[in-house]
Amino acid sequence: MYAMLDPSRFTVFVTGATSGFGEAICRRFAAAGARIVACGRRADRLETLKAELGDRCHAFALDVRDAKAVHAAVAALPAPFDEIDVCVANAGLALGLEPAHQADFDEWQQMIETNCLGLAATVHAVLPGMVARGRGHVVTLGSIAGDHPYPGGNVYGATKAFVRLLAQNLRADLAGTGVRATNIEPGLAETEFSLVRFRGDAERAGGLYRGADPITAEDVAETVFWSTTMPAHLNIVRMEIMPTSQGFGPTVVKRRG
C-alpha cells in the first residue's frame, strides 16, 4: 500500500495569499501542521494572516509581476522555510468583461503579466530546488475559462489556457524527477475575484453569485490539499471543478435579421 503524504512535514509556498483561494489554502495547510510561506501585494493583510497562523508562517509582500523579485525572494527564504515542498502559484486576476474590441488594453496587459509571466516566474524560481531534492509539487490555479470560452472572457481565458498548457508541459519535463504538477480549474467561485473584475462594483459582483451556490475558497483549498497529499507515486494532472448549479450552454449562433 502507498501511504498518503504527511502535510505536517510540508513547507507550502503560496502566492496571492492575501484573499480568496490563496488565504484559504494557507489556512488549510496550517491547520494540518504545515509551515507556510505566504506572499502577496497587500502587506497589511499578510501581517494579519501571520498573526493568525503564528511562527510557522513566514509572510512578505511580493508582486509576482516582478520576476527578479520573485527569484530573489525564493533564493533568500530563511530556514526552515527554504525547502519548498508545495508551491501554489495562485496569484492572478480578471479585469473587465467587455468584448475584445471594447476592452482596455492596459487591463489585458495586467492580466498577461500577472496570470502568465508572474506564474511562470514563480514556477521557474521554485523548480530547481524541488528537482535537486527529488520531491515537490507545483500547483497552478487555472480556470474552466482556459477550456471553455465565453463572451468577454477573451484575454483572461487565454491566460488560463496558458496556465493549463504550462502545467501539462511541466509533467513532460518532470517525469522521473519526483516532482509533481497539478492544475486546478475552478468554475464559478465566490471570492473577491469578481469585485476586482468589475472594478469594485459590489452590486454587479454579488449579482453573479446570487442564488447559484457557488464554489467557496475553502472548497478550492480542500481540493489543493487533497491533490498534494495523495501518495507520491500518483499525480493528479488537472482537475476541473464547478458548483452543482453550473453547466455548459449551447454554442452561440448569431443570425441575420
Side-chain angles (χ1 to χ4, degrees):
M1 290 289 292
Y2 293 100
M4 299 288 284
L5 300 186
D6 179 0
S8 70
R9 301 172 65 89
F10 287 176
T11 295
V12 183
F13 182 91
V14 184
T15 65
T18 57
S19 66
F21 298 162
E23 188 176 43
I25 289 164
C26 289
R27 289 194 175 108
R28 179 65 184 93
F29 279 98
R35 285 183 295 270
I36 306 299
V37 179
C39 58
R41 290 182 300 161
R42 291 172 285 192
D44 56 335
R45 292 196 178 191
L46 290 169
E47 289 174 7
T48 301
L49 183 64
K50 177 171 173 51
E52 175 189 335
L53 300 185
D55 291 341
R56 291 182 70 81
C57 176
H58 175 64
F60 56 92
L62 180 68
D63 186 337
V64 297
R65 292 177 296 175
D66 185 341
K68 290 184 178 179
V70 171
H71 284 81
V74 171
L77 287 173
F81 300 95
D82 53 336
E83 294 190 2
I84 298 168
D85 298 288
V86 176
C87 170
V88 186
N90 164 72
L93 77 168
L95 294 170
L97 199 61
E98 293 78 18
H101 56 286
Q102 296 174 359
D104 183 329
F105 185 79
D106 287 342
E107 293 184 340
W108 278 13
Q109 183 170 336
Q110 187 175 349
M111 285 187 282
I112 293 167
E113 290 176 349
T114 306
N115 301 357
C116 297
L117 296 177
L119 181 140
T122 302
V123 171
H124 188 266
V126 303
L127 272 182
M130 289 182 173
V131 172
R133 291 186 292 274
R135 71 179 195 277
H137 201 143
V138 174
V139 179
T140 51
L141 262 294
S143 167
I144 65 169
D147 268 312
H148 310 291
Y150 59 88
N154 45 69
V155 164
Y156 172 71
T159 65
K160 292 304 182 176
F162 169 87
V163 174
R164 172 172 54 82
L165 264 296
L166 176 60
Q168 292 178 351
N169 277 286
L170 289 179
R171 287 301 317 129
D173 289 345
L174 295 172
T177 65
V179 180
R180 302 187 289 183
T182 298
N183 192 43
I184 304 296
E185 304 167 16
L188 185 68
E190 186 170 11
T191 63
E192 293 182 5
F193 175 87
S194 289
L195 191 63
V196 172
R197 177 171 228 168
F198 297 136
R199 308 172 185 93
D201 186 337
E203 178 61 27
R204 189 178 179 191
L208 185 65
Y209 306 115
R210 197 169 295 121
D213 295 323
I215 293 170
T216 67
E218 289 72 26
D219 294 331
V220 173
E222 193 63 37
T223 304
V224 172
F225 183 83
W226 174 80
S227 66
T228 57
T229 53
M230 292 297 285
H233 76 290
L234 176 64
N235 193 124
I236 306 299
V237 177
R238 60 184 296 206
M239 188 182 304
E240 185 175 278
I241 57 175
M242 295 191 294
T244 305
S245 64
Q246 188 176 26
F248 300 104
T251 300
V252 174
V253 178
K254 299 293 187 181
R255 304 186 187 280
R256 297 190 302 274

